[in-house]
Amino acid sequence: MWIQEIELFLIEQSLKIPFKTSYGIYEQRESILVKISDENGVFGFGEVVAFSEPWYTDETIKTALHILQDFFIPTLFKNHFNHPSEVANHLNQFKGHKMAKAGLEGAYWDLYCKYHSISLAEALGGNKDEIPVGVVVSIDEPQKMIKQISDYLAIGYERFKVKVSKENDFEIVSSIRQSFPSIPLMIDANSSYSLDDIPQLKKLDQLDLLMIEQPFGERQFIEHAVLQKEMNTPICLDESIYSLEDVQIAYQLEACKIITVKPGRVGGLSESLEIHNYCMEKNIPIWVGGMIETGISRIQNVALASLAGFTIPGDISESNRHWDQDVIIPEVTLINGKVKVPKGEGLGVEVDEERIRRLSKKIYKYTIQK
Ligand code: OSB
Ligand code: MG
């Protein structure tokens, strides 16, 4: 298969409700959507999940555009590929820029699956028809967070993650626990604690949390190992994991008990598969994370979560969690509390290209030069 044309759509959307984390508040979300077409006009869509600012990882929308335009896209035009893992291998001659890599590789997976008339879930080796999912509640007044959780419980979400910061963790989580003594509840502090906070973190052990996500900084594997020895609550690593190698380090050091996989953060679905296989072998529970993403990446995550190793409901909420309208048809919705894994070719949903064009602030188009 030769790649003939690549388009990048720089879109911007408002979130339905502002999303507050320990880093700051999100009200607007820029995203880069990728369309790759082959010589027969078969096409696939992917998404670069980098944010506009480098708060979660060091990539940004602008670094992704630069790297895609100046390095990744020219490389893809020069080579012939038979499988998405070959795209990943080619891009891995370049360092870093995992989200930019994942956006291209994801679009190529969709194209590859359509070319072979299979669904993405099938191509990845998924074996579930539907998946249970979780939802994230961002920082707010405890009473408002409790109201949101009760609304989400009513629709069928099965796991609840609350964003906290060091200043309000116990207050928020204990009042949520009082209202919901037995729901699967976890917190995410997005790296806002340090070793000095171990006594404070240990207090959270009384709240019967499913896990604590990424208390310390992204390279602090050793510090996480120190904390995990002192806490009963499992630690889950998010920002620390950029590759299979990082998972192996975390496992060797006993820095966590759970891993969250985000295809964007680890450079794509091929690397996600390797992490999945390793974690199955080592009995490390995994789940699919979220990036306040559009339906393109959201439905890709649904396919990934259909693999056997993803035993914990992920941050794969309905399209309407963040958007008034999504860019895929049908949108991601809960049916009897579950999300159906699409069976159609590729992503298995229709991508609303007209809507994407309307949302675009800028469209970049590249064609192979023969
Ligand atoms: O830490 O998991 C995170 C969103 C953006 C950046 C980082 C994180 C998140 C989430 C997922 O918590 C929220 C969502 O996609 O609904
Ligand atoms: Mg997180």
Side-chain angles (χ1 to χ4, degrees):
M1 220 185 303
W2 283 99
I3 295 172
Q4 186 74 27
E5 187 180 277
I6 300 181
E7 278 178 283
L8 305 178
F9 302 91
L10 173 60
I11 66 166
E12 181 164 1
Q13 295 177 275
S14 305
L15 300 188
K16 270 170 61 175
I17 37 173
F19 191 83
K20 187 170 178 211
T21 74
S22 59
Y23 288 113
I25 301 187
Y26 258 89
E27 298 187 276
Q28 290 292 112
R29 175 70 160 115
E30 281 188 303
S31 322
I32 301 168
L33 303 180
V34 182
K35 182 183 181 188
I36 299 186
S37 310
D38 73 4
E39 71 269 32
N40 303 311
V42 183
F43 59 86
F45 275 97
E47 177 171 345
V48 178
V49 297
F51 291 102
S52 310
E53 303 91 21
W55 69 274
Y56 171 76
T57 63
D58 54 9
E59 285 185 88
T60 66
I61 290 283
K62 279 191 184 162
T63 67
L65 283 172
H66 154 55
I67 293 288
L68 287 164
Q69 292 164 343
D70 294 344
F71 301 101
F72 293 177
I73 290 174
T75 296
L76 292 201
F77 281 145
K78 277 193 217 119
N79 292 283
H80 183 267
F81 305 104
N82 292 310
H83 190 268
S85 61
E86 296 173 12
V87 172
N89 286 341
H90 262 90
L91 295 177
N92 280 335
Q93 65 180 286
F94 299 108
K95 300 216 161 114
H97 304 282
K98 304 264 179 171
M99 292 174 175
K101 286 174 180 168
L104 277 181
E105 195 225 24
Y108 191 85
W109 271 100
D110 185 23
L111 168 60
Y112 166 87
C113 291
K114 285 186 186 161
Y115 186 84
H116 292 283
S117 303
I118 53 173
S119 69
L120 179 59
E122 204 180 332
L124 295 171
N127 63 358
K128 300 171 204 153
D129 292 332
E130 56 178 26
I131 53 166
V133 291
V135 66
V136 186
V137 177
S138 76
I139 300 174
D140 207 332
E141 285 154 31
Q143 285 319 308
K144 289 195 181 150
M145 294 174 82
I146 287 168
K147 168 76 171 77
Q148 274 198 34
I149 292 176
S150 90
D151 291 347
Y152 289 140
L153 256 174
I155 336 176
Y157 284 110
E158 293 181 36
R159 193 233 62 201
F160 303 85
K161 164 166 140 186
V162 292
K163 293 286 194 186
V164 297
S165 68
K166 183 165 142 169
E167 290 69 40
N168 57 21
D169 57 359
F170 197 83
E171 179 205 347
I172 288 183
V173 191
S174 59
S175 61
I176 293 174
R177 253 298 169 242
Q178 268 163 27
S179 304
F180 309 100
S182 58
I183 55 167
L185 182 65
M186 56 184 282
I187 63 170
D188 186 0
N190 287 111
S191 306
S192 60
Y193 295 91
S194 67
L195 268 185
D196 295 341
D197 301 316
I198 287 185
Q200 181 180 344
L201 284 161
K202 281 174 74 170
K203 265 183 76 186
L204 298 170
D205 262 344
Q206 0 168 346
L207 297 172
D208 187 27
L209 298 176
L210 199 57
M211 68 191 90
I212 295 182
E213 195 175 321
Q214 196 74 38
F216 299 154
E218 65 176 39
R219 301 313 293 167
Q220 294 190 300
F221 289 98
I222 294 168
E223 289 80 351
H224 280 113
V226 170
L227 176 65
Q228 185 66 91
K229 267 199 191 60
E230 295 207 27
M231 278 193 94
N232 296 323
T233 307
I235 292 171
C236 169
L237 291 181
D238 174 4
E239 283 93 325
S240 292
I241 306 298
Y242 283 91
S243 62
L244 172 61
E245 220 181 341
D246 289 333
V247 176
Q248 291 166 332
I249 292 170
Y251 178 74
Q252 289 297 326
L253 293 175
E254 298 181 32
C256 67
K257 292 184 177 157
I258 300 174
I259 301 274
T260 172
V261 180
K262 295 183 183 175
R265 197 192 58 234
V266 303
L269 289 167
S270 298
E271 188 76 10
S272 304
L273 277 182
E274 295 203 22
I275 292 174
H276 167 271
N277 296 344
Y278 178 83
C279 289
M280 284 237 350
E281 192 188 305
K282 302 291 186 200
N283 267 316
I284 307 167
I286 51 175
W287 53 277
V288 178
M291 284 292 285
I292 316 181
E293 59 240 296
T294 79
I296 291 174
S297 160
R298 204 168 280 273
I299 205 72
Q300 189 180 289
N301 287 343
V302 171
L304 181 63
S306 76
L307 273 77
F310 289 97
T311 51
I312 300 174
D315 289 345
I316 306 178
S317 42
E318 292 186 299
S319 295
N320 74 12
R321 162 72 182 84
H322 294 300
W323 317 120
D324 284 321
Q325 191 185 337
D326 206 339
V327 301
I328 56 166
I329 305 165
E331 300 193 341
V332 175
T333 50
L334 289 178
I335 300 173
N336 298 326
K338 308 273 193 263
V339 173
K340 290 248 176 303
V341 180
K343 294 239 185 279
E345 293 176 10
L347 294 175
V349 293
E350 189 194 324
V351 173
D352 188 347
E353 195 172 322
E354 255 173 54
R355 179 169 171 77
I356 292 173
R357 288 187 185 276
R358 259 183 284 124
L359 292 171
S360 293
K361 297 198 284 187
K362 215 154 181 186
I363 300 174
Y364 306 84
K365 183 167 164 174
Y366 308 89
T367 310
I368 193 167
Q369 308 290 329
K370 281 216 171 117

